[in-house]
Amino acid sequence: MSYILKTSAIATVMLSSALGAQIDTRGAIPMTYTDEAAARGVLEPGYGRGTAMVDLDNDGMLDLIVTMSEMEDAFLRQKADGTFEKMNAAWGIPATLDRGWGVLAADFDNDGDRDVYFPTGGFSGAQANTILRNDLSAIGKFTDMTANSGDTQLATFSSFGGTVLDYDNDGDLDIFVSNNGVAVGRPVRNALLRNDGNFTFTDVSRSAGITQLGDFRHCSSGDVDNDGFVDIFVGDFVNSNVLYHNNGDGTFTDTAASAGVEDPGKNFGGVLIDFNNDGWLDLYGARYQFSGNYPSGLYINNADGTFTDVRNDSGMTRQKDMGHNCADLNADGFPDIYIGTGHPNLKELDPVKLVRPAPGGRLRVKEVGFSAGFQALGKTRCHGIAFGDINRDGNTDVYVNNGGPAFVPVSWQENTLFISDGNANKWIQVEPIGVISNKSAVGVRMMARTGDNVKVFRLNTVGRGFCNTDSPIAHFGLGPSSAVLDFVMKWPSGIQQDYLDLESAKAHKIYETGFTWSGTPAVGANINVKAFGVPNGTVTLFYSDVAGETRDRAQGGTVRMGGSITFETPFTLGSDGKANTTFQIPNDPNLSGETLYLQAKVQDSSGVHPLTLTHNIKLVIP
């Protein structure tokens, strides 16, 4: 008989009205930026598209992938001095002059490094997408796996965007591709590619219900209704947007109409992100509004399957949105919006919207593009926008991929790297690493509760905005508070981790940690335990037959039992962060009819990663 662990969801309590008044001014201080693209060697002139900011060679430094159109995509490695060198030849990057429109960097084979997927075609016509396996640790190069992946079946599509997700929660990463209809002269469907292992993918779109036809642009993924399954938003330029609700059985249902996010026409994509920090993903919808006075979409999640459109009340403006992405730029705890106008024939200033909650459950938007320094270089054709802490000073930097389509030669432009000058707001960073969930930790939900009782929520994702990949190191702006009283992680596997007093002004690397079990509880019986956490970590099981809960700040977590606690002999996790063991229920007849509470303490032998007190399980003994 088997027992499956179930854990509670991250708390999603709405911010109180009293706190809402506090939030009006809390941490609302400026952040300025300086362009250092030339000094750091990342100008990369060309016809800009989506961009990735990830560590490709696992040296602890963020690298850049700059997608081009009909030019070589640039792989830029960050050196120890903060400058970059182009690695295309050294890393064996195929010298294909494709029509790339974005880049998804994620660990598709769960071997500990980030592979790369390029949606290609866009406005230029059908073309096979490209997928590269990261073999830098083995042979010092990337390997082109396109011909083996099965993705060549999509060669009849002109792919525009994409997002990475584990839609079936099986521990490996799948790919959703949004496709363009104008380039092929007919409405088209999108594509859901199921990861079957060993870099093979199967198009399961039709069986999954991904059949809607349209002229699609970009997309974003996230668990909109907090049911444990990842949903997908897709912008449609001609028809209505699509919000694919994941039904949890391998199928999806379009709920855009009932959710109130259809917003027909001129949509270039969107970002699912929690603007008001209530634990529910909201939505920014990018609209390419050439004329009129209809702003881009801004929607608040009502936690009931519907959204409230607050674009007009918030002060959102109209512009020709193509490039777009969201991040907390001034470290106040609330995500902001960077918008690239991207018109092929016109250069324009890029708007940057500071977003904050407002009384009455609304949002307030303020334009800061000029004051923050983003418009210092003048007008651009911005497309790809990636966020991350390039110089590891705790602040969010921005790489902007400029330039229009290659078939408009005058739209050529150099890129920009905006380095944050910092401000007085505090921060914490967390890099989540999956062990039984996907190793890239795509889909993990995180919450930091600050010393002044503000909750900051983050979602780890790959592929949003103009098909960008942001740094996997999640940034939590804490505003004026230097304390993190609680830190909670909810993994795609269902595992939940809780930390107390996690040190701020520090970048933490945290592995998915816990255990599962199987067997039949009985006095004296053995229970099979599968533990996981930091590689080579030490695991100590402990138990009690008394219920209780004590927040043990000395241990950095919560002891989920009371009474007299018994500790088992420690054992060690393997280099893969996993180990199997048995736990023997004491041969004590007094336990008959009782409940035994079992928990684990997992420690990193190097002392680098924080000690973790896991969830507990309840063994009901007949």
Side-chain angles (χ1 to χ4, degrees):
M1 188 175 186
S2 296
Y3 294 78
I4 299 175
L5 171 71
K6 293 184 178 180
T7 59
S8 59
I10 291 179
T12 56
V13 179
M14 294 289 288
L15 298 170
S16 68
S17 58
L19 187 57
Q22 174 192 352
I23 287 172
D24 279 350
T25 57
R26 177 192 176 277
I29 57 178
M31 182 82 84
T32 59
Y33 284 79
T34 303
D35 179 29
E36 297 186 10
R40 293 177 181 263
V42 294
L43 282 173
E44 285 306 310
Y47 304 101
R49 294 294 176 264
T51 301
M53 188 185 293
V54 294
D55 182 2
L56 293 169
D57 55 355
N58 287 338
D59 66 350
M61 308 284 285
L62 290 175
D63 309 307
L64 293 170
I65 304 174
V66 185
T67 311
M68 300 295 183
S69 180
E70 299 184 17
M71 298 177 66
E72 287 187 7
D73 301 319
F75 283 64
L76 305 175
R77 175 182 177 270
Q78 186 176 183
K79 299 186 291 185
D81 63 359
T83 63
F84 290 75
E85 59 181 335
K86 194 170 184 176
M87 301 298 292
N88 286 48
W91 284 353
I93 305 303
T96 55
L97 303 181
D98 58 23
R99 300 180 285 271
W101 286 79
V103 54
L104 305 173
D107 190 353
F108 293 111
D109 56 355
N110 281 329
D111 67 347
D113 50 30
R114 294 187 181 261
D115 314 297
V116 184
Y117 182 91
F118 293 102
T120 58
F123 288 131
S124 303
Q127 188 176 24
N129 298 336
T130 302
I131 188 165
L132 306 179
R133 186 179 67 202
N134 189 333
D135 291 328
L136 292 178
S137 61
I139 61 174
K141 296 180 181 294
F142 282 80
T143 302
D144 189 347
M145 301 296 292
T146 305
N148 303 322
S149 67
D151 195 12
T152 53
Q153 62 192 300
L154 297 185
T156 57
F157 289 105
S158 188
S159 298
F160 215 113
T163 188
V164 174
L165 67 163
D166 184 1
Y167 82 94
D168 49 4
N169 287 345
D170 65 351
D172 56 23
L173 290 173
D174 313 299
I175 304 172
F176 178 90
V177 183
S178 52
N179 294 312
N180 179 280
V182 168
V184 294
R186 67 182 188 281
V188 297
R189 64 171 174 84
N190 297 306
L192 177 64
L193 307 179
R194 186 187 66 210
N195 189 338
D196 294 328
N198 197 28
F199 278 86
T200 60
F201 294 82
T202 300
D203 183 358
V204 296
S205 308
R206 296 189 186 281
S207 62
I210 309 294
T211 57
Q212 290 76 9
L213 300 179
D215 180 27
F216 300 105
R217 294 297 186 265
H218 290 289
C219 52
S220 182
S221 57
D223 186 358
V224 169
D225 54 354
N226 287 339
D227 66 350
F229 295 94
V230 182
D231 313 300
I232 307 166
F233 173 82
V234 193
D236 191 315
F237 197 72
V238 175
N239 303 307
S240 299
N241 295 326
V242 177
L243 179 60
Y244 289 114
H245 174 260
N246 190 330
N247 300 319
D249 59 0
T251 68
F252 291 78
T253 301
D254 179 14
T255 59
S258 60
V261 296
E262 283 187 301
D263 204 16
K266 307 300 182 185
N267 289 287
F268 237 84
V271 176
L272 292 168
I273 197 165
D274 191 349
F275 283 113
N276 58 1
N277 280 327
D278 66 350
W280 296 83
L281 292 176
D282 308 305
L283 173 65
Y284 164 69
R287 288 184 61 88
Y288 185 81
Q289 197 72 34
F290 195 86
S291 61
N293 192 30
Y294 190 57
S296 287
L298 195 58
Y299 303 88
I300 291 178
N301 192 327
N302 297 321
D304 61 0
T306 68
F307 289 78
T308 297
D309 187 343
V310 298
R311 76 183 79 198
N312 292 316
D313 290 342
S314 69
M316 180 58 76
T317 55
R318 171 195 64 79
Q319 55 274 317
K320 294 179 280 294
D321 294 13
M322 280 194 180
H324 56 286
N325 204 353
C326 299
D328 180 6
L329 296 173
N330 68 337
D332 64 352
F334 301 100
D336 310 305
I337 307 170
Y338 196 115
I339 300 170
T341 54
H343 190 281
N345 299 316
L346 297 172
K347 290 183 179 181
E348 293 190 0
L349 294 173
D350 296 329
V352 179
K353 307 295 185 182
L354 196 72
V355 183
R356 294 179 63 85
R362 298 180 296 111
L363 297 176
R364 178 178 293 115
V365 174
K366 179 182 180 182
E367 173 59 42
V368 296
F370 176 78
S371 61
F374 292 117
Q375 297 176 354
L377 299 180
K379 297 179 179 180
T380 68
R381 298 181 180 92
C382 167
H383 287 94
I385 304 155
F387 300 108
D389 185 2
I390 283 285
N391 57 356
R392 298 185 294 182
D393 65 352
N395 301 308
T396 298
D397 308 309
V398 189
Y399 188 74
V400 180
N401 197 350
N402 294 310
F407 52 78
V408 183
V410 295
S411 68
W412 175 95
Q413 200 166 2
E414 292 178 329
N415 295 339
T416 47
L417 174 60
F418 292 108
I419 299 296
S420 172
D421 299 322
N423 64 15
N425 281 337
K426 308 303 189 295
W427 57 273
I428 189 174
Q429 295 176 349
V430 172
E431 179 179 4
I433 302 174
V435 180
I436 62 172
S437 297
N438 67 88
K439 281 201 173 180
S440 292
V442 173
V444 66
R445 302 286 295 271
M446 295 169 281
M447 184 277 288
R449 184 170 70 90
T450 70
D452 56 351
N453 201 36
V454 172
K455 295 178 180 179
V456 181
F457 289 84
R458 293 290 178 265
L459 166 68
N460 192 39
T461 186
V462 171
R464 65 184 188 185
F466 204 96
C467 197
N468 306 291
T469 300
D470 297 325
S471 167
I473 305 171
H475 176 273
F476 295 79
L478 305 178
S481 176
S482 60
V484 179
L485 301 181
D486 295 275
F487 191 84
V488 182
M489 309 176 75
K490 179 70 179 294
W491 296 84
S493 64
I495 293 294
Q496 183 169 309
Q497 287 167 237
D498 304 76
Y499 296 91
L500 303 177
D501 299 332
L502 200 60
E503 185 179 354
S504 63
K506 181 177 179 179
H508 299 269
K509 185 178 288 188
I510 300 182
Y511 287 80
E512 183 180 19
T513 305
F515 62 101
T516 60
W517 66 283
S518 62
T520 303
V523 171
N526 284 327
I527 299 299
N528 300 313
V529 173
K530 294 183 177 181
F532 47 90
V534 58
N536 305 310
T538 301
V539 182
T540 305
L541 295 171
F542 56 96
Y543 64 91
S544 170
D545 61 351
V546 177
E549 183 171 293
T550 302
R551 292 165 63 84
D552 188 342
R553 296 197 176 275
Q555 299 286 344
T558 301
V559 176
R560 302 182 184 281
M561 62 189 70
S564 177
I565 298 175
T566 301
F567 291 84
E568 295 282 280
T569 301
F571 61 94
T572 304
L573 297 173
S575 59
D576 61 353
K578 301 176 183 178
N580 296 330
T581 189
T582 58
F583 168 71
Q584 184 177 27
I585 296 175
N587 193 16
D588 180 357
N590 292 323
L591 289 176
S592 181
E594 300 295 327
T595 298
L596 204 64
Y597 302 90
L598 181 64
Q599 195 174 352
K601 177 170 65 174
V602 183
Q603 297 172 281
D604 175 21
S605 57
S606 69
V608 173
H609 308 292
L611 181 149
T612 302
L613 296 181
T614 70
H615 55 82
N616 72 344
I617 59 173
K618 301 176 183 179
L619 302 174
V620 180
I621 303 170

